[in-house]
Amino acid sequence: ESLTTASKTALAAPTSTLAFHARNIPTISLEAYLLRISKYCPTTNEVFLSLLVYFDRMSKLSQEATGKTFVIDSFNIHRLVIAGVTVASKFFSDVFYTNSRYAKVRNML
């Protein structure tokens, strides 16, 4: 319960949702971005499926904590995906890459 409480507290802070919000919409499509992640940081399907769970949980926690819906849009999806892939691959996989490698894939935008 303390993890859920901490998550709700973090989501209630206005800066938490803005941390993933880009100034401009990336020019790469989400499909191309996922393919690039797959190419440079190969991982299992569980990692990509876990993104759906993460996004669902973030939306529910945000609704409970603030009464507002956590909006996933073109300004934040790329950053949310790479962050989710980084976390999920470290959780699900015995072999994963360094944070700097994931950052390089993200910075290619």
Side-chain angles (χ1 to χ4, degrees):
E1 185 175 322
S2 63
L3 181 59
T4 304
T5 305
S7 297
K8 287 180 184 177
T9 303
L11 283 170
T15 56
S16 64
T17 55
L18 295 177
F20 287 94
H21 198 273
R23 291 179 190 211
N24 300 309
I25 297 173
T27 56
I28 188 171
S29 71
L30 184 57
E31 180 182 6
Y33 190 55
L34 290 169
L35 289 171
R36 185 167 69 200
I37 292 170
S38 237
K39 178 180 178 180
Y40 293 107
C41 302
T43 189
T44 61
N45 290 335
E46 289 85 7
V47 169
F48 291 107
L49 288 172
S50 68
L51 295 175
L52 299 173
V53 175
Y54 293 161
F55 295 161
D56 182 59
R57 288 181 182 174
M58 284 189 319
S59 297
K60 287 179 181 174
L61 283 171
S62 178
Q63 184 68 35
E64 291 173 13
T66 65
K68 299 177 188 175
T69 305
F70 183 81
V71 177
I72 297 173
D73 59 16
S74 299
F75 287 95
N76 64 11
I77 188 64
H78 293 77
R79 291 178 180 190
L80 290 170
V81 165
I82 196 66
V85 167
T86 303
V87 170
S89 58
K90 290 181 178 194
F91 181 80
F92 287 110
S93 304
D94 292 334
V95 177
F96 53 86
Y97 302 96
T98 62
N99 289 350
S100 60
R101 182 158 179 159
Y102 292 110
K104 285 178 185 173
V105 172
R106 190 244 170 260
N107 288 332
M108 290 180 187
L109 292 178

